[in-house]
Amino acid sequence: MSVLQARDITLAYDGVPVIAGVDLPVPPGQITALIGPNGCGKSTLLRGLARLLKPRAGAVYLDGAAISALPTKELARRLGILPQSPTAPEGLTVRDLVAQGRYPHQGWFQQWSREDEAVVARALDITGTTALAGRPLDTLSGGQRQRAWIAMALAQETPILLLDEPTTFLDIAHQLEVLHLLERLNREEGRTIVMVVHDLNHAARYAGHLVAMAEGRIVVAGPPREVLTPATLREVFAVEVDILTDRRTGAPICVPYGLCSPAAPSLGAAPGGERAHQPAVR
Amino acid sequence: MRGAAARGPIVIRPGRLPLSWTVDRRVPPVLLLLGLATVVATVLSVGYGQYFIAPLDVLRTFLGLETGNPNHPFVVTTLRLPRVLIAFLVGLALALAGTIAQGLARNPLASPDILGVNAGASLAAVALIVLAPAAPFYLVPPAAFAGALVVAALIAALSLRGGGSPIRLVLIGVGFAAVAGALTTALLTLGRTLFAARALIWLAGSVYGRSWRELWAILPWLAVFVPLALLLARHLDVLHLGDDVARGLGSRLALWRGLLLLTAVALAGAAVATAGAVGFVGLMAPHLARRLVGPAHAGLLPTAALTGGLIVLLADLAGRALFAPVELPCGVITAIIGAPYFFYLLYRSGGS
């Protein structure tokens, strides 16, 4: 099983460090969720893991080899990334989009092998987008579109899949649809998944491993039960919460009831709602 | 059209060879129709003129058959055919360059102008005509080509730094076009009226008086860069999804973007050196083609190429026919059609 690990990495935008000296071992075969307030660097860390952002210091290792030293196509066959709110050209059909996932497997002359066809058909099938295959992306609902993008990432056939806020801008039903799909991919195909999510209860319910971040560092990482504690959430989000237990799944549920800091704005105590008040800093 | 897409693409997988290819189902019939329209337009355009030749006689002459008129081979083959072929090839090259520019800029309103080709070519050509009026006119095309390459190279060098984001390309391209345009205008104002008038005709874009010599000059460029453009379709598709997605899929952004840029510049440069600044073709052709076959570049590039060729061919024919015996440059016709089309597109994109 592929092992992805960030060692002592520093990531910066335009010379301003967002993440400094962070170690992140990704547990193989599990779903890992990165949580934390806006601007804490979770998306940046994910981009670093996916080599979309080159570390200023330190490195990301895949099975012991630094990813910066791997040929980019080879890496793309082992590690897939779905960035936040990607956009497709107008009129592109779902099938054409998903077929792009085969890019790292294709060459000058081998551009649509039987294997490509079979893998794309399977990716459409597992994401429930087969019936939409001929439709242009711009005619789909947000949830359908997100499933199409996930299908593209699946067609890449990578053992590791990174997703940046895959449920953002989706209503609750579509959020669950996407999370169920990721859970299936993890359970049935053994794919390692790392995702940035905003909803703490979704993180606790679907991820086996949580990484809580604040101000460019990892505060605590571990199983949901150990990470979602009143003390940690006070430190990470500056919110006061009660932790309950979901009777169906045994997962922790956090119920926010207030802000700790009087300096903070009085609105939007819920962790999922803070997005609306602050510009997203990536 | 959606029904056709729903049936899935056409797959080409010959035997057990490690070869496979796929294309949208709409592409072959569209290419066939465009090809037929091109042949018809070529025959009409070659036959049209003060000395009219019936379409059937044009066809006979093409095939080397006797028409009973000894003038036909000379008029058809020597006088008119090269001009008509050049109109077609110029349109084809501009359309391919435009399709690539729109893909790279991720903006369907982009045109080869953002590559700086027209601006550089115009500046160099006008500078030569105005500042060195004694120079023979056959120096204008190579000067235009050189100007195109220099400005495009500057834009490419500046915009490719740091992977070359689309917005960077557009902004730098627009900036250079503005500066080059201002210099061109200054030259036209300062130059003597006679030379300025000559330069203006060149700027309008025309295939008037083009012969086999110009055709042979443009062919090698097309022979190299048209196949290259088609081969790069896959990489352009991936770049079209945005930098992050493309990098995640394993694309070598700087390499493919650089090659595509080079291809577009070479094609647009060859076109502008041959016929002057024929405008709006690189904008219109990809747009019309996208409506016909969708945005996947394997089908879009050849469709846009034939569309662009047909547009300039018809623009040249219209320019000769509308106010005969006065002849309008084909660049004026494409601008008359293209400018409103551009505003229509702007209006539509603003509404959505």
Side-chain angles (χ1 to χ4, degrees):
Chain A
M1 199 163 278
S2 295
V3 179
L4 185 67
Q5 186 171 21
R7 269 189 225 149
D8 198 22
I9 57 167
T10 299
L11 296 161
Y13 283 108
D14 296 325
V16 182
V18 178
I19 297 261
V22 162
D23 287 298
L24 177 69
V26 174
Q30 287 202 45
I31 296 184
T32 299
L34 305 183
I35 57 172
N38 290 333
C40 73
K42 52 193 190 307
S43 281
T44 307
L45 182 57
L46 194 81
R47 288 168 60 82
L49 286 175
R51 57 87 170 77
L52 298 185
L53 195 60
K54 213 174 162 186
R56 304 273 307 272
V60 176
Y61 296 88
L62 181 59
D63 294 332
I67 59 168
S68 55
L70 289 174
T72 172
K73 256 193 170 177
E74 193 200 317
L75 185 61
R77 290 194 289 263
R78 296 164 66 182
L79 177 84
I81 166 86
L82 187 58
Q84 197 177 343
S85 346
T87 54
E90 196 187 336
L92 191 75
T93 61
V94 171
R95 182 190 293 108
D96 282 344
L97 175 72
V98 178
Q100 301 298 323
R102 298 306 293 164
Y103 178 81
H105 300 272
Q106 293 166 336
W108 290 102
F109 304 109
Q110 190 68 270
Q111 299 197 0
W112 192 241
S113 65
R114 277 175 214 291
E115 196 193 337
D116 293 335
E117 194 171 324
V119 171
V120 167
R122 233 184 77 69
L124 290 169
D125 182 44
I126 199 165
T127 53
T129 47
T130 307
L132 309 172
R135 299 253 312 262
L137 239 68
D138 31 304
T139 65
L140 305 183
S141 74
Q144 293 172 326
R145 206 176 301 156
Q146 187 64 341
R147 278 188 286 148
W149 280 101
I150 292 176
M152 186 207 77
L154 289 184
Q156 213 173 323
E157 279 199 305
T158 56
I160 303 176
L161 198 51
L162 312 180
L163 304 105
D164 195 352
E165 298 195 19
T167 53
T168 303
F169 303 126
L170 301 182
D171 63 38
I172 182 73
H174 288 130
Q175 289 183 17
L176 290 183
E177 199 175 85
V178 167
L179 291 165
H180 275 305
L181 171 62
L182 296 177
E183 188 177 43
R184 262 184 77 197
L185 292 172
N186 170 252
R187 282 209 189 134
E188 294 172 16
E189 310 197 350
R191 301 212 204 204
T192 304
I193 291 172
V194 184
M195 58 182 181
V196 171
V197 277
H198 265 290
D199 190 308
L200 298 182
N201 293 327
H202 283 165
R205 158 83 174 77
Y206 290 94
H209 187 77
L210 296 194
V211 178
M213 296 181 66
E215 291 167 2
R217 65 198 169 83
I218 293 174
V219 177
V220 57
R225 185 59 63 195
E226 289 169 25
V227 174
L228 291 189
T229 62
T232 304
L233 295 177
R234 202 174 298 134
E235 183 182 351
V236 170
F237 289 103
V239 290
E240 300 290 348
V241 299
D242 280 338
I243 301 294
L244 313 176
T245 300
D246 182 346
R247 268 192 232 147
R248 285 171 195 264
T249 62
I253 299 177
C254 79
V255 182
Y257 60 86
L259 293 164
C260 340
S261 153
S266 58
L267 292 167
E274 100 258 62
R275 216 184 147 72
H277 305 289
Q278 268 172 277
V281 181
R282 284 201 291 157
Chain B
M1 258 191 274
R2 186 168 298 168
R7 267 184 287 133
I10 296 174
V11 178
I12 299 145
R13 237 178 248 140
R16 289 184 199 168
L17 297 172
L19 278 175
S20 56
W21 204 61
T22 179
V23 72
D24 195 286
R25 196 163 285 277
R26 290 168 286 184
V27 174
V30 165
L31 288 183
L32 193 70
L33 280 178
L34 284 170
L36 277 176
T38 303
V39 170
V40 171
T42 303
V43 169
L44 290 178
S45 188
V46 167
Y48 183 83
Q50 270 183 315
Y51 185 89
F52 183 80
I53 304 174
L56 213 59
D57 285 343
V58 175
L59 270 178
R60 280 215 186 97
T61 315
F62 280 169
L63 297 172
L65 302 176
E66 288 290 326
T67 58
N69 185 327
N71 291 330
H72 283 176
F74 174 75
V75 175
V76 167
T77 321
T78 309
L79 289 184
R80 291 184 188 162
L81 185 59
R83 168 185 182 146
V84 171
L85 286 179
I86 279 178
F88 176 74
L89 293 178
V90 161
L92 177 142
L94 287 173
L96 283 177
T99 312
I100 294 174
Q102 293 180 356
L104 285 179
R106 301 190 68 209
N107 186 342
L109 294 179
S111 77
D113 298 352
I114 62 157
L115 303 175
V117 171
N118 275 2
S122 302
L123 180 58
V126 170
L128 185 75
I129 294 168
V130 171
L131 298 179
F137 204 78
Y138 65 77
L139 283 181
V140 172
F145 207 164
L149 291 183
V150 168
V151 173
L154 281 173
I155 291 175
L158 286 171
S159 66
L160 283 179
R161 280 179 51 203
S165 72
I167 188 73
R168 202 181 160 94
L169 176 69
V170 171
L171 288 178
I172 293 175
V174 168
F176 265 92
V179 171
L183 289 175
T184 307
T185 311
L187 282 171
L188 286 173
T189 319
L190 299 173
R192 285 177 51 194
T193 318
L194 172 68
F195 305 133
R198 208 197 280 173
L200 276 175
I201 290 173
W202 189 87
L203 277 179
S206 164
V207 288
Y208 173 80
R210 301 300 190 274
S211 67
W212 288 103
R213 205 181 59 186
E214 284 88 6
L215 189 72
W216 293 127
I218 193 179
L219 268 182
W221 294 91
L222 299 185
V224 172
F225 288 102
V226 172
L228 189 58
L230 298 178
L231 278 174
L232 291 171
R234 203 162 58 88
H235 302 289
L236 191 52
D237 277 339
V238 167
L239 287 173
H240 213 168
L241 298 176
D243 285 13
D244 282 355
V245 175
R247 210 171 274 141
L249 286 170
S251 171
R252 291 155 77 185
L253 266 62
L255 171 71
W256 300 123
R257 203 171 260 153
L259 258 181
L260 282 159
L261 212 51
L262 174 75
T263 306
V265 167
L267 288 170
V272 79
T274 307
V278 182
F280 292 101
V281 180
L283 174 79
M284 276 191 290
H287 247 279
L288 295 168
R290 214 170 278 123
R291 294 200 150 184
L292 292 172
V293 298
H297 286 97
L300 180 62
L301 284 165
T303 307
L306 289 189
T307 308
L310 192 58
I311 288 175
V312 179
L313 217 173
L314 291 175
D316 178 48
L317 177 59
R320 283 185 286 145
L322 282 180
F323 301 101
V326 176
E327 203 179 302
L328 286 180
C330 58
V332 171
I333 304 289
T334 59
I336 288 172
I337 303 167
Y341 188 74
F342 179 65
F343 285 120
Y344 159 70
L345 290 176
L346 270 182
Y347 173 76
R348 220 180 45 135
S349 72
S352 65

